[in-house]
Amino acid sequence: MTEKTSKRLFLIDGTALAYRSHFAFQSRPLTDSKGRNISAVFGFMNTLFSIISHEQPEYLGIAFDTKAPTFRHRIYPEYKATRQKMPEDMADQLPILQETIQTSGLTAIEMEGYEADDLMGTIAVKAAEEGYEVYLVTGDKDFFQLVNDKILVYNLRKSAADPEIMGSIEVKEKFGVLPEKVIDTLALMGDSSDNVPGVRGIGPKGAVEIINQFGSLDEALNRMGEIKGANRKKLEEGRESALFSRQLVTIKTDCPVDFDSSRYKLKLNDAGLREKFRELEFHSLLRYLKEEEKPAQKAEYHTVSTSEELDKLIKIIGNAGLLSFDTETTSEEPMLAELVGLSFSVKVGEAYYIPVNAFELTDKEIPLSEFSWFGGKAHRETSYILSKLQPILENSHIPKCAQNGKYDINVLSNYGIEVQGLVFDTMVAAYLLNPGSRGYNLDALSEKYLRITKIPTSDLIGSGAKQITMDQVEVAKVSLYACEDADCAFRLTGLLRKEIKSAELEELNEKVEIPLIPVLAHMERNGVALDKAFLRNMSMELEEGMILKEREIYRHAGMEFNINSPKQLSEILFDKLNLPVIRKTKTGPSTDIQVLNKLKAYDPLPALILEYRSLAKLKSTYTDALPELINPHTGRVHTSYNQTIAATGRLSSSNPNLQNIPIRTEMGGQIRKAFIPGNEGWKILSADYSQIELRILAHISGDPGLLESFRKGEDIHRRTASLIFNTPIELVESDMRRAAKEVNFGVIYGMRDFGLSERLGIPRKRAKEFIDSYFQSYPRISSYVESTIEKA
């Protein structure tokens, strides 16, 4: 965080921030319930408010480029010509972003003929002259030229929590020259991202050396005879290009724009933004706004702490037409969670909380039965409370609703209570209504549907290293929080039931999703047993394999180096072995898995690196990590089966992900052997639909060859291999079948020659031959694919 002064102006490069925000979510775009991609808008506003929250600037402005050509385009039509066109899904978001900024009350500036850089430069200089300390929020090195004792560059790096604030000294350390020499240095080295030519053959290092030696570009041009080596000829030939490039890289500081401090005074329209964030479903950003002044809502929340109060509550909830229930515990992991309290609601605005650790129980009050928590006796108060609640919780005729009820069902199951009668889950319902949403937690749903800003969990237990557990929080605070949870879940059930009915999702919700919850809960509780000795031995094998592979890598590289260091590996691959650079990142040539796979064709070392990485991943992710996840009470691993993660509707598994255990490699396949039957004499049964997607494809495409194969009971992948390799079916080998399987499943999901070549590690030409042969073998599939695309 920067040191606060009363006159600080933050100028944000809005166009750059919008691009950065859009691409940050490229692998998993954020969409709202209308299906709109709002990644750039969310990322932009999240970053903006993070800066405001951390820095609390008094003045702030946001500069944007326009579509109109600038003076640079007029003198050099090729300016920025190498840049890719703005992605369409980003362009669609710009009006939403501009509308959101306009609603915010913040000042946005743009002017045809000038870039955001020039507007920022002009305003920065004028503000600095009036005594303001100016922070240029950008990652663009061009802005280094503006830095002085009043103007600083504020580079976000990863976040506003850890900015890189650069004055003259920092610019010199990072760029190699002082700010006043940046323009001349850029003129020599050029800028490929903006298509600024510079001097051919002179890169950043050479440019810095020349400018530091002569002090300026003009002086270097006047004294070219003193330049040693190849740079002299380069500069002689590139003299005009250098002077021209200097015009292009110079940020204008005399644009026709005034600096009126009142225009940049930070005054947020919290009420307008609150409505806008709700509309865009940016519920997590509401925390940055002032709390809404709401009319006092009638809410009767009660703490139940005596047996008399509990008896009254039993009568109320025992006759409920719908009972909302929730648990407060010591852990997010249900199989480790100890009960802290329970909350209930049977009507809007009314809820009750029972704290098990602050319940007054006299000596005369004996628990009706003993309750245990993983074999250990629960304390008397917990046993007493649960003995009273058990008949209600296990009564299937009392309909119940909850938010993420599977968690509460598992927690209560730890104490021997099997919850019955769950008829609605607000988290599951919200997922069915909008499976592409970013989250379905109770805070977001309450904000979206009820306009209620709930008490954040972090207000009670904190976050990070200083986080405590709920049993350490003052009972009155937990009671209010827990009652609010039960109340909101009750309110949401009423609303979401109507939405589910309106969307014609009742049958899916009531016949599939809700009945699935107790099944998944039971599966999670059962867990899976692990052969720890097997994993320990396998970990040692992997360690030995890594050591042998390490030696092989060193021998081939001709030296020892840190294999896990991208920088050192890059030096070996591209400097020592002179392999081609496939892709560059901000820190240098990429050495990721895709790059190494391509480099295998040039040298054996990349393949060795990939083999080493594969062994290292198996060791760290599975053989070493899985035993650490064994529950100390049950001796098993308990994954979570998620109903509301995958937008396609399929289940996912987490902590650990048991659906992603590798099988392709021999060593990876071995890991599955570590999962064993939990009891002596038991077996693990593997049941799977046989090529279900291909059976559906055969039905809807009507392809006679595919239909005949299924009717004969043939191995469809073996038959496909026989056709595309022109080989008798009995001579099809396992590698041929694997290739055919990739084609069978890949082609129906749009995979083409490039994707198949990557998957199988074969040339694109060969992959195309496979696909062409496949469509010749199954012509009706080809016509089905083409007609579907045409229809879409």
Side-chain angles (χ1 to χ4, degrees):
M1 192 180 295
T2 60
E3 187 181 340
K4 304 290 184 293
T5 68
S6 60
K7 293 177 68 172
R8 291 188 317 147
L9 169 65
F10 276 67
L11 292 174
I12 294 169
D13 186 344
T15 303
L17 181 55
Y19 268 101
R20 168 186 165 129
S21 302
H22 175 75
F23 288 112
F25 293 96
Q26 192 174 22
S27 60
R28 193 178 178 185
L30 304 179
T31 56
D32 62 9
S33 54
K34 298 172 185 172
R36 297 181 300 179
N37 184 341
I38 37 80
S39 306
V41 187
F42 176 80
F44 189 102
M45 300 310 291
N46 187 44
T47 303
L48 177 63
F49 276 91
S50 184
I51 293 168
I52 292 171
S53 174
H54 278 88
E55 299 297 344
Q56 297 167 18
E58 210 171 294
Y59 302 88
L60 186 141
I62 308 165
F64 287 96
D65 294 335
T66 68
K67 291 181 180 178
T70 68
F71 69 93
R72 293 183 181 88
H73 292 97
R74 285 194 291 274
I75 63 172
Y76 184 50
E78 292 82 15
Y79 181 63
K80 291 191 176 180
T82 52
R83 287 198 179 182
Q84 289 186 344
K85 185 183 175 185
M86 180 185 289
E88 191 175 330
D89 54 349
M90 179 184 166
D92 290 342
Q93 297 177 65
L94 292 185
I96 305 172
L97 176 60
Q98 288 162 355
E99 190 179 300
T100 306
I101 293 171
Q102 190 174 1
T103 301
S104 73
L106 297 172
T107 296
I109 43 172
E110 60 180 39
M111 185 175 289
E112 288 196 357
Y114 299 94
E115 294 183 65
D117 303 25
D118 302 308
L119 299 176
M120 289 170 68
T122 300
I123 294 165
V125 168
K126 290 183 177 181
E129 287 172 354
E130 292 184 27
Y132 287 81
E133 190 170 59
V134 184
Y135 292 84
L136 303 170
V137 182
T138 178
D140 189 345
K141 62 184 179 298
D142 290 5
F143 281 94
F144 291 166
Q145 64 188 269
L146 299 174
V147 169
N148 56 38
D149 59 339
K150 282 289 185 181
I151 301 174
L152 306 167
V153 165
Y154 187 98
N155 184 2
L156 286 167
R157 290 195 288 204
K158 290 185 179 178
S159 73
D162 181 31
E164 180 183 28
I165 298 169
M166 305 178 68
S168 296
I169 294 171
E170 290 78 13
V171 167
K172 177 75 161 65
E173 288 174 354
K174 183 159 190 155
F175 197 64
V177 298
L178 288 167
E180 56 268 25
K181 298 181 180 180
V182 166
I183 293 173
D184 285 355
T185 307
L186 289 169
L188 284 173
M189 61 188 268
D191 187 344
S192 58
S193 66
D194 287 344
N195 202 28
V196 175
V199 175
R200 186 178 179 83
I202 295 182
K205 188 178 177 183
V208 167
E209 286 177 358
I210 290 169
I211 297 302
N212 278 331
Q213 180 183 352
F214 295 98
S216 70
L217 173 60
D218 292 331
E219 193 64 19
L221 293 174
N222 290 335
R223 296 162 57 191
M224 271 197 283
E226 299 175 35
I227 299 176
K228 296 177 182 177
N231 280 345
R232 177 177 173 177
K233 186 179 180 185
K234 292 173 186 174
L235 192 54
E236 284 174 348
E237 293 175 352
R239 177 191 186 94
E240 294 307 316
S241 180
L243 293 171
F244 180 62
S245 296
R246 183 160 65 179
Q247 290 183 64
L248 296 175
V249 299
T250 301
I251 293 175
K252 287 184 74 68
T253 58
D254 58 353
C255 298
V257 57
D258 293 327
F259 172 65
D260 178 356
S261 61
S262 63
R263 190 182 171 202
Y264 297 93
K265 184 79 173 173
L266 184 60
K267 297 187 290 282
L268 286 174
N269 176 8
D270 289 274
L273 273 173
R274 186 174 294 279
E275 288 303 310
K276 196 67 187 172
F277 285 171
R278 280 172 173 158
E279 177 199 322
L280 294 169
E281 299 165 24
F282 293 166
H283 305 297
S284 62
L285 300 187
L286 291 168
R287 70 185 187 275
Y288 289 120
L289 306 177
K290 288 177 186 173
E291 286 199 20
E292 189 176 18
E293 289 188 20
K294 298 180 281 190
Q297 291 179 339
K298 187 183 176 185
E300 296 181 19
Y301 293 165
H302 311 274
T303 304
V304 176
S305 54
T306 67
S307 55
E308 291 82 7
E309 292 169 343
L310 180 59
D311 287 340
K312 288 179 184 176
L313 176 61
I314 295 297
K315 289 179 183 177
I316 294 169
I317 64 177
N319 296 308
L322 178 68
L323 175 62
S324 169
F325 75 103
D326 187 41
T327 60
E328 299 305 329
T329 67
T330 57
S331 173
E332 291 183 355
E333 297 291 332
M335 297 303 292
L336 294 172
E338 211 167 339
L339 201 59
V340 175
L342 302 100
S343 58
F344 301 93
S345 177
V346 295
K347 68 179 182 179
V348 170
E350 188 175 292
Y352 301 83
Y353 175 66
I354 313 168
V356 301
N357 54 355
F359 194 86
E360 298 172 16
L361 188 62
T362 65
D363 290 340
K364 293 177 184 177
E365 294 165 331
I366 306 298
L368 301 179
S369 58
E370 291 284 355
F371 285 79
S372 65
W373 185 72
F374 289 121
K377 285 185 181 180
H379 58 71
R380 290 179 69 238
E381 288 78 10
T382 304
S383 288
Y384 181 80
I385 293 164
L386 292 179
S387 68
K388 294 281 191 177
L389 293 173
Q390 186 172 24
I392 293 170
L393 292 168
E394 293 188 344
N395 187 342
S396 61
H397 297 293
I398 298 176
K400 302 172 182 72
C401 63
Q403 162 77 12
N404 189 16
K406 177 160 63 71
Y407 174 87
D408 304 299
I409 288 170
N410 272 336
V411 168
L412 289 165
S413 181
N414 294 342
Y415 292 86
I417 292 179
E418 299 302 321
V419 176
Q420 302 290 328
L422 184 71
V423 297
F424 201 85
D425 190 301
T426 52
M427 183 174 80
V428 171
Y431 166 75
L432 291 180
L433 290 165
N434 183 17
S437 181
R438 299 181 298 283
Y440 309 95
N441 65 67
L442 190 57
D443 290 16
L445 298 183
S446 299
E447 187 71 56
K448 178 179 179 180
Y449 291 101
L450 306 174
R451 297 290 178 97
I452 291 175
T453 304
K454 282 186 70 277
I455 302 165
T457 311
S458 57
D459 281 8
L460 278 73
I461 62 174
S463 59
K466 295 183 179 179
Q467 184 173 310
I468 58 175
T469 50
M470 201 62 86
D471 55 333
Q472 298 171 279
V473 181
E474 183 186 333
V475 171
K477 287 184 178 179
V478 181
S479 180
L480 180 60
Y481 172 85
C483 284
E484 192 178 56
D485 278 3
D487 181 20
C488 285
F490 187 88
R491 295 178 194 231
L492 282 166
T493 297
L495 280 170
L496 294 177
R497 264 183 164 164
K498 292 174 185 174
E499 297 260 350
I500 288 285
K501 185 175 183 178
S502 176
E504 299 182 350
L505 292 168
E506 280 180 301
E507 187 173 7
L508 175 61
N509 186 48
E510 293 170 10
K511 293 188 176 179
V512 178
E513 298 292 353
I514 296 300
L516 184 59
I517 291 172
V519 174
L520 295 179
H522 199 74
M523 288 167 60
E524 288 181 11
R525 288 201 303 278
N526 284 345
V528 61
L530 278 181
D531 186 336
K532 289 195 285 186
F534 177 87
L535 284 172
R536 190 165 51 247
N537 290 334
M538 192 172 175
S539 185
M540 290 166 62
E541 282 182 41
L542 288 167
E543 181 75 37
E544 289 169 8
M546 286 169 66
I547 291 169
L548 291 172
K549 197 63 64 181
E550 209 172 57
R551 289 173 185 163
E552 202 175 345
I553 288 167
Y554 294 156
R555 188 165 57 249
H556 189 86
M559 61 181 289
E560 291 191 10
F561 64 100
N562 182 354
I563 298 170
N564 299 312
S565 164
K567 186 175 185 297
Q568 292 186 33
L569 176 58
S570 175
E571 289 169 358
I572 295 290
L573 294 175
F574 306 113
D575 296 341
K576 193 168 189 294
L577 297 179
N578 290 316
L579 298 184
V581 173
I582 305 295
R583 190 173 69 254
K584 283 191 174 184
T585 67
K586 287 183 179 179
T587 55
S590 172
T591 58
D592 65 16
I593 186 168
Q594 289 85 6
V595 168
L596 292 178
N597 268 317
K598 288 177 180 175
L599 291 176
K600 286 192 299 186
Y602 298 91
D603 193 274
L605 185 62
L608 296 174
I609 298 292
L610 286 170
E611 289 165 19
Y612 174 87
R613 284 184 183 176
S614 175
L615 296 174
K617 184 173 182 180
L618 290 173
K619 187 175 187 299
S620 63
T621 308
Y622 299 107
T623 61
D624 291 352
L626 283 174
E628 297 295 319
L629 297 173
I630 293 174
N631 186 293
H633 305 294
T634 66
R636 294 187 172 208
V637 170
H638 301 271
T639 188
S640 292
Y641 295 106
N642 309 303
Q643 273 173 283
T644 61
I645 298 293
T648 56
R650 68 189 288 273
L651 287 172
S652 68
S653 163
S654 57
N655 298 321
N657 183 354
L658 297 184
Q659 294 179 326
N660 202 29
I661 307 293
I663 198 170
R664 284 171 178 261
T665 62
E666 183 184 349
M667 193 64 90
Q670 289 290 313
I671 289 173
R672 297 191 175 208
K673 292 181 181 177
F675 295 90
I676 56 173
N679 296 305
E680 194 174 340
W682 285 26
K683 300 283 186 186
I684 289 179
L685 172 69
S686 173
D688 188 13
Y689 286 112
S690 175
Q691 290 104 26
I692 187 68
E693 291 144 309
L694 295 178
R695 290 176 189 275
I696 294 170
L697 179 66
H699 173 77
I700 58 180
S701 70
D703 187 89
L706 203 55
L707 287 166
E708 181 194 6
S709 185
F710 279 124
R711 285 172 184 148
K712 284 183 176 179
E714 291 179 331
D715 179 333
I716 192 67
H717 301 314
R718 193 168 290 279
R719 177 193 166 95
T720 300
S722 170
L723 292 170
I724 65 176
F725 286 101
N726 195 23
T727 302
I729 197 164
E730 62 274 9
L731 297 180
V732 169
E733 297 175 354
S734 59
D735 281 352
M736 296 163 71
R737 183 184 182 277
R738 183 174 77 84
K741 186 175 179 180
E742 292 285 359
V743 177
N744 267 332
F745 286 120
V747 167
I748 62 174
Y749 289 113
M751 184 185 285
R752 294 294 177 259
D753 53 356
F754 177 77
L756 186 61
S757 71
E758 291 279 301
R759 295 279 289 181
L760 295 177
I762 59 175
R764 283 183 69 173
K765 184 181 177 183
R766 184 72 172 131
K768 187 175 187 304
E769 289 169 0
F770 280 180
I771 292 172
D772 291 345
S773 178
Y774 176 86
F775 282 135
Q776 286 166 13
S777 303
Y778 302 117
R780 292 286 288 274
I781 295 176
S782 177
S783 59
Y784 162 68
V785 169
E786 288 170 8
S787 66
T788 304
I789 292 169
E790 187 179 337
K791 183 180 177 183

